[in-house]
Amino acid sequence: MLTGLAIRNVVLIEALDLSFGRGLGVLTGETGAGKSILLDSLGLVLGDRADGGLIRAGADEASVTATFEFAQLPAALGAALAEAEISVETGEPLIIRRRLRAEAGNAVGSRAFVNDQPVSVALLRELARSLVELHGQHDDRGLVNARGHRALLDRYARAEASDVAAAWERWRAAETALTAARDRLAAAAAEQDLLVAHLAELALLAPEVGEEDELAGQRAAMQKGERLSGDLAELQHLWTGSDSALASLRSASRRLDRIAHEHPLLTEALEALDRAVIEASEAEDKLGRAAEALSHDPMLLDRIETRLFDLRAAGRKHGCTVDELPARMIEMRAALDRIEGGEAAIADLDRAAQDAGLDYRAKAESLSVARAEAARRLDAAVAAELAPLKLDAARFRTAVVRQPEDRWGPHGVDAAEFLISTNPGADFAPLAKIASGGELSRFILALKVALAEEGGAATVIFDEIDRGVGGAVASAIGERLARLAEGGQLLAVTHSPQVAARGTAHYLIAKSSEGTVTRTSVRQLDGAGRQEEIARMLSGAEITPEARAQAERLLEQA
């Protein structure tokens, strides 16, 4: 609820600090005293448009700070704050500040803060729905806004709308899965012939992982052998045959072996020659093996090059490397398997979607029945409140209308709106289209009383709900306002002494002038001050003893 309001340099208010509590707080004062300034100031922290005319003459800037406190943070308010990454601990106040600054020309700068964190004005408007419900001459929030009527009716009906929302989500998810599966199957079926052709082509090619590198190595070796074939042939000719160098070494070794015992040096020479023969024999062996390894078969080389070309062409065709071709074949087989088994899977998904749809419809129909029954009870409850509020000729109706299927949603299959007719024979129309602001406020009061605790903001404000009425009607309004304020907070700007006498707190708004400076002030009245103010409201400019006595009786009756 609203516990504090600090106003600086707004119109006629230079500096004002107000504290509010639970129950019914009434604000009174003479016409033109500045009651609208308080509401305009509160409107700033609730996200109303910045207006340079609100800055007090002679001041550069104006500011309004509102403090709200909660035993438990409302769920919608907590969600909005969490989304804005603003943390409010249990028991911690929520402080909203709005600052206006006059700029060049007629421009006005505006900044907003929630618990000292800069925020957008749009966030203030979102928070306002959970903070303050204002009903006045130009009410376009709270109960007047048809967008909230369905949720209010559901709470009044004690209906589990969340079950319908959960069923809707399951149905949408099932339909989405079915549509996606059908799209995938249609796309795959359109490519089925191409998949079969590609898979047959790759199966005939039979690519293997690592095959490209192996073939490339073989081709490189053959190409090198082709290039070295002349040298190798000449070396082999020099190294083999009876007149080759190796044959000469062996012949020399045999001859030296016959005379090596004749001298130690000959023995050493034989040993060196034997080593040369061994090394030369190894060279001969390696030359032979090299010639064999580097031998090239033109026909084999052509087959290798053709295979490499086919493999690489297939890789380019399927957008992958040659080594990835076997995996691509597996993917193609899986896609064909999905096509073959796709119809069965779609049948299962279709059954699941139909079951989810039936479940949603059943829950939505049950909710519709609960709404229709609650609408009848609410209509009767509001009708019982109209006569005491001098709305005898008026009629109230809760319209629950089934929507076309394309407008069904987590809320169910109905639209709901509160309608009224203020004159006999007149058509029912939305609350917002009532011409008389006083009638609208009293209708809202009747609806609030009927709904009791079924939702609304933490703080409710009625602006001159008693305009144009008096006597028994004003007493009825005061009694209902007091009843609504029990256990909560309700503020009423009033001209009615019967309403003012019902307040648990009474604030007097007054205007004073000093020379050319006019100021508006607000102070909370004590018991004697309340009696005097209510007497003024009863008698006018001159307060009579009779008015004071009547004021005392009103306070005692309250």
Side-chain angles (χ1 to χ4, degrees):
M1 67 176 182
L2 176 67
T3 57
L5 187 64
I7 304 172
R8 299 290 183 270
N9 296 324
V10 176
V11 192
L12 299 179
I13 298 176
E14 185 174 2
L16 180 64
D17 293 281
L18 289 174
S19 296
F20 301 95
R22 303 183 75 84
L24 175 59
V26 295
L27 297 92
T28 65
E30 295 182 356
T31 300
K35 294 185 290 294
S36 63
I37 301 175
L38 286 179
L39 297 181
D40 289 342
S41 298
L42 186 58
L44 280 176
V45 295
L46 298 178
D48 285 355
R49 184 180 64 84
D51 184 350
L54 293 175
I55 301 176
R56 189 174 64 88
D60 293 328
E61 68 175 39
S63 69
V64 181
T65 303
T67 302
F68 297 87
E69 297 183 27
F70 306 91
Q72 184 174 359
L73 204 65
L77 182 62
L81 291 170
E83 187 174 349
E85 299 182 350
I86 299 174
S87 175
V88 179
E89 301 295 334
T90 302
E92 180 183 355
L94 179 68
I95 301 173
I96 302 178
R97 179 163 55 96
R98 183 88 178 273
R99 190 172 69 195
L100 304 183
R101 185 172 183 83
E103 297 181 347
N106 294 322
V108 57
S110 170
R111 296 195 68 190
F113 304 86
V114 174
N115 285 9
D116 289 328
Q117 181 172 325
V119 299
S120 67
V121 175
L123 177 62
L124 297 189
R125 287 193 287 269
E126 184 175 356
L127 299 180
R129 291 196 289 269
S130 299
L131 294 174
V132 176
E133 187 176 316
L134 175 61
H135 303 292
Q137 299 298 304
H138 304 288
D139 193 352
D140 61 354
R141 289 188 269 198
L143 294 179
V144 172
N145 192 332
R147 286 180 294 181
H149 292 178
R150 183 169 48 211
L152 282 171
L153 181 62
D154 288 347
R155 285 196 289 270
Y156 185 77
R158 299 289 196 273
E160 290 296 334
S162 59
D163 290 347
V164 176
W168 168 263
E169 294 301 330
R170 289 193 295 271
W171 186 24
R172 290 300 90 203
E175 288 286 354
T176 299
L178 176 60
T179 299
R182 282 174 171 162
D183 289 345
R184 287 195 301 269
L185 182 62
E191 298 177 358
Q192 185 174 14
D193 292 343
L194 186 60
L195 280 172
V196 170
H198 284 172
L199 187 57
E201 181 182 76
L202 289 176
L204 184 62
L205 187 62
E208 296 179 3
V209 176
E211 183 180 7
E212 180 184 22
D213 290 341
E214 182 180 351
L215 291 174
Q218 291 178 9
R219 183 184 66 173
M222 285 190 175
Q223 289 174 336
K224 188 182 295 183
E226 185 178 20
R227 189 177 67 251
L228 299 176
S229 60
D231 292 333
L232 288 174
E234 184 176 345
L235 284 169
Q236 284 182 312
H237 174 74
L238 292 173
W239 216 249
T240 58
S242 59
D243 59 344
S244 68
L246 181 57
S248 299
L249 284 174
R250 287 173 176 160
S251 176
S253 175
R254 287 194 297 273
R255 296 186 67 178
L256 186 55
D257 182 58
R258 289 195 296 271
I259 63 173
H261 62 278
E262 300 291 345
H263 195 279
L265 288 175
L266 293 175
T267 301
E268 292 177 5
L270 178 59
E271 291 173 353
L273 190 57
D274 286 343
R275 288 196 297 273
V277 170
I278 292 171
E279 292 292 333
S281 296
E282 289 183 2
E284 180 186 33
D285 179 62
K286 286 181 170 54
L287 278 172
R289 282 190 288 158
E292 182 180 351
L294 293 173
S295 64
H296 68 285
D297 180 345
M299 294 182 65
L300 178 59
L301 179 60
D302 183 63
R303 287 196 299 273
I304 289 174
E305 288 183 334
T306 300
R307 176 70 174 173
L308 273 174
F309 177 82
D310 291 342
L311 288 171
R312 288 171 176 172
R316 288 191 299 272
K317 181 176 182 178
H318 296 287
C320 63
T321 65
V322 172
D323 283 348
E324 291 171 342
L325 286 173
R328 189 59 54 89
M329 293 175 66
I330 294 173
E331 293 174 5
M332 292 178 183
R333 290 192 184 97
L336 289 171
D337 291 341
R338 284 195 298 271
I339 294 172
E340 294 173 0
E343 291 297 336
I346 283 178
D348 291 340
L349 289 172
D350 188 42
R351 281 192 295 273
Q354 289 184 35
D355 291 344
L358 291 173
D359 181 56
Y360 169 77
R361 286 180 172 85
K363 287 182 168 59
E365 290 296 340
S366 178
L367 179 59
S368 291
V369 172
R371 283 171 174 164
E373 174 58 29
R376 286 190 289 271
R377 289 189 286 110
L378 181 59
D379 292 352
V382 173
E385 298 291 333
L386 296 181
L389 296 174
K390 202 179 178 181
L391 293 168
D392 314 61
R395 292 173 297 154
F396 175 86
R397 185 175 74 191
T398 305
V400 179
V401 180
R402 189 181 185 90
Q403 297 180 295
E405 187 169 343
D406 61 352
R407 298 190 65 184
W408 293 0
H411 48 71
V413 299
D414 309 306
E417 186 174 7
F418 301 145
L419 304 175
I420 59 173
S421 169
T422 55
N423 298 299
D427 292 335
F428 281 92
L431 289 175
K433 294 191 175 180
I434 296 245
S436 166
E439 281 185 331
L440 175 58
S441 294
R442 279 179 281 145
F443 240 115
I444 293 297
L445 178 59
L447 186 53
K448 288 290 291 184
V449 171
L451 289 169
E453 299 298 324
E454 305 304 335
T459 298
V460 179
I461 300 175
F462 280 94
D463 181 18
E464 300 186 0
I465 187 175
D466 47 20
R467 173 174 291 193
V469 300
V473 176
S475 295
I477 290 175
E479 186 273 329
R480 282 157 176 76
L481 289 175
R483 194 196 318 167
L484 278 177
E486 292 176 358
Q489 183 184 54
L490 191 150
L491 301 176
V493 178
T494 180
H495 291 287
S496 168
Q498 291 89 342
V499 173
R502 290 281 185 172
T504 54
H506 192 148
Y507 302 88
L508 176 62
I509 305 171
K511 184 166 64 175
S512 61
S513 299
E514 296 178 10
T516 59
V517 178
T518 302
R519 293 185 176 88
T520 289
S521 62
V522 182
R523 62 186 176 93
Q524 186 172 352
L525 301 176
D526 57 14
R530 290 190 68 189
Q531 182 178 349
E532 193 71 7
E533 171 62 8
I534 292 173
R536 180 200 64 77
M537 297 170 73
L538 285 165
S539 62
E542 182 180 351
I543 303 175
T544 64
E546 292 80 6
R548 289 190 176 95
Q550 178 64 16
E552 185 177 2
R553 283 193 295 272
L554 284 175
L555 287 169
E556 289 174 352
Q557 292 170 2

